Amino acid sequence: MPHEKKEEAQTPKRSECDVKSLTHALSSSMYLQISPAKALLLTRAKSMSGPSEVVQGDSEELRKTKEELISRLARKVSDLRKEKEELLKEMSNIEDLGRQVTENVRKSCKTSNVDKYLMYVGDADRVTKLLLSLSRRLAKVNSVLDRLEGNDEEEQKPDLQKMHEDLMGKYEDAKGLKKSIDARHVQISSMLQDHLSPEEYEDFCHFVPMRSRQRITAQELDDRIALGEEQLQALRESLKGEGGPEGEGSQSGAQAS
């Protein structure tokens, strides 16, 4: 679209649309805060049908309770899958927007500034992926360490603690990289506001933090789906172990839902 020589260009720099949005996307997400809650939840899911969960009382009532849980969990997993499908469409739209922003930058900026923009966008995406990867690996190590408490395999603990220490070091380094990315975002934003139209600049402000948020949300959904499937498998195995046509019927019914 044609550029208008804008008097609005004299308005104050709006760097608040930059770092605040991007930092919120990466730092305030519960997923990236390395909470032990996920490890605890995984442990509960693994043990929910084990011998320690034996319930005294009417076995028929227990079976019905498990069947209801299977039905609810199956619906929840199905809903999460639909949510992931919708998110993938939104992610595709954001990638389209990113390509349009890049085209606008190429048209309006000199080559050296285009290169700075492309390098920034690529680095921001890589740091997001790195933080996600490290946080997931830390969650797995935390989960294993929790399960080793009082376990016969506790001799593995020193190696796992060393792995945890190494991962935490890498995670802190990655957070340092993110701070550097935040600083570059302010510089890139200031440069683009001078060269893009207000609409094009708003597209840039929307694209960068939204892509980071979507990557985080996609990983969260994947983990919640995987956890739901683990819980379903545990309950179905428990019903199977009880035998009888009702257990088999509830398993096939849950698989169909």
Side-chain angles (χ1 to χ4, degrees):
M1 70 183 231
H3 284 211
E4 300 176 4
K5 293 294 177 187
K6 41 191 190 314
E7 323 258 322
E8 300 93 340
Q10 301 303 317
T11 56
K13 304 292 184 185
R14 291 177 294 167
S15 59
E16 61 269 17
C17 87
D18 325 322
V19 177
K20 285 184 180 178
S21 296
L22 188 61
T23 301
H24 177 77
L26 293 178
S27 300
S28 68
S29 170
M30 291 300 294
Y31 183 80
L32 292 180
Q33 289 179 5
I34 319 297
S35 166
K38 182 183 174 185
L40 179 60
L41 189 56
L42 284 169
T43 302
R44 287 176 178 170
K46 286 289 186 182
S47 64
M48 62 192 301
S49 65
S52 61
E53 294 282 328
V54 173
V55 179
Q56 302 298 325
D58 182 68
S59 60
E60 180 64 24
E61 186 67 25
L62 177 59
R63 183 182 292 111
K64 285 181 180 177
T65 299
K66 289 181 179 180
E67 289 171 353
E68 289 172 5
L69 279 173
I70 287 174
S71 178
R72 287 203 299 269
L73 275 170
R75 285 196 299 271
K76 182 62 177 175
V77 170
S78 176
D79 289 344
L80 288 171
R81 289 190 182 282
K82 290 175 184 175
E83 191 176 340
K84 178 66 186 294
E85 288 175 8
E86 288 302 312
L87 179 62
L88 288 174
K89 294 176 185 175
E90 294 173 13
M91 291 175 77
S92 177
N93 291 338
I94 281 295
E95 291 303 319
D96 289 341
L97 178 63
R99 284 187 282 273
Q100 183 59 55
V101 171
T102 298
E103 184 179 332
N104 294 336
V105 172
R106 288 187 188 281
K107 286 189 304 185
S108 304
C109 301
K110 60 184 181 181
T111 303
S112 60
N113 286 338
V114 172
D115 290 342
K116 288 178 185 177
Y117 168 78
L118 293 175
M119 187 176 296
Y120 159 72
V121 169
D123 287 349
D125 198 39
R126 280 187 286 274
V127 167
T128 300
K129 291 176 181 177
L130 179 60
L131 284 167
L132 284 169
S133 174
L134 289 170
S135 64
R136 296 183 78 229
R137 291 167 65 188
L138 276 163
K140 288 181 181 180
V141 173
N142 285 333
S143 180
V144 174
L145 281 170
D146 287 344
R147 296 180 199 187
L148 286 181
E149 292 295 337
N151 192 298
D152 291 339
E153 300 176 352
E154 198 164 349
E155 66 273 6
Q156 299 176 13
K157 197 169 182 179
D159 289 340
L160 285 166
Q161 287 173 331
K162 178 64 168 61
M163 184 185 300
H164 182 273
E165 184 181 334
D166 290 344
L167 286 170
M168 278 303 301
K170 292 177 180 178
Y171 187 81
E172 290 302 318
D173 288 345
K175 291 201 313 189
L177 289 174
K178 190 189 77 64
K179 286 181 181 177
S180 172
I181 291 291
D182 290 346
R184 286 167 61 192
H185 193 107
V186 174
Q187 296 169 359
I188 294 294
S189 174
S190 178
M191 178 266 292
L192 292 182
Q193 191 175 24
D194 286 340
H195 292 85
L196 300 180
S197 70
E199 295 81 7
E200 291 169 345
Y201 178 75
E202 287 298 330
D203 285 344
F204 162 75
C205 285
H206 180 67
F207 163 63
V208 177
M210 182 57 69
R211 183 166 70 166
S212 296
R213 275 197 291 268
Q214 287 178 342
R215 289 208 188 282
I216 294 169
T217 302
Q219 190 61 70
E220 289 176 336
L221 285 173
D222 284 342
D223 285 348
R224 290 171 66 191
I225 289 168
L227 181 57
E229 288 173 341
E230 287 179 14
Q231 292 174 318
L232 279 171
Q233 183 178 0
L235 282 168
R236 287 167 177 165
E237 289 297 324
S238 175
L239 273 180
K240 227 196 266 188
E242 292 174 11
E246 293 180 15
E248 295 171 6
S250 67
Q251 182 186 9
S252 60
Q255 288 172 334
S257 58

